[in-house]
Amino acid sequence: MIDKRSFESLGGADHGWLKAKHHFSFADYYDPSRMGWGALRVWNDDEIAPNSGFPPHPHQNMEIITYVRSGAITHQDSMGNKGRTEAGDVQVMSAGTGVRHAEYNLEPETTRIFQIWILPREAGGQPSWGAKPFPKGDRSGRFVTLASGFADDKDALPIRANARVLGATLKAGESVTHSVGEGRHAYLVPAAGAITVDGDAVNARDGAALSGGRTVTITAVQDAEIVLVDSE
């Protein structure tokens, strides 16, 4: 089954400096039918105005992945980490027993990100942070693992969840397949462009929840940039 969630149907909020759309219940948006998808708990589509951002705030027991769609995000945390992550690149934070961090857009343009939260396989652990460039050309016509909780995915950023975050760029007419294991959950969003999933249309910033035990074919109707989470 494919459960499509159009961009127009998403919850959200407009704080002026932040325009947010929520694929799942978050903050003041609550929908009991959209509390997550497997271990995937949050997928926020955020637009952050220039010279603004999220002031220091705490997290714990969550794997937080930031995929930068355009612009750049600057990170600071209570562990002493600082970093700037640009469009197409990824940062991850394992909140573990607890961490405070801030995320700012220090650029002269709007920054657009996907913020993805995945429940860890177990609570606790030392907090950690990391970031890495993932050139879009390297994922042309195929999925590349961006973040993973599996040791075999050596080129991916590590997370503490039985999950993978994948990215692909497809030219119009190109297809890729993805197999969702039995009992697992996949959720994909085109960051840009339009695709079909087994023939069902999914437009930019729409979400598609995929049940386990099947292989889907993803075809680009327009040049497309896709992010997919495969989790328990």
Side-chain angles (χ1 to χ4, degrees), residues 192-207:
I195 62 173
T196 61
V197 181
D198 283 353
D200 289 344
V202 181
N203 295 318
R205 303 166 79 183
D206 292 348

Side-chain angles (χ1 to χ4, degrees), residues 36-41 119 185 231-232:
W37 185 243
L40 174 62
R41 178 61 189 85
L119 295 167
H185 304 76
S231 68
E232 290 183 310

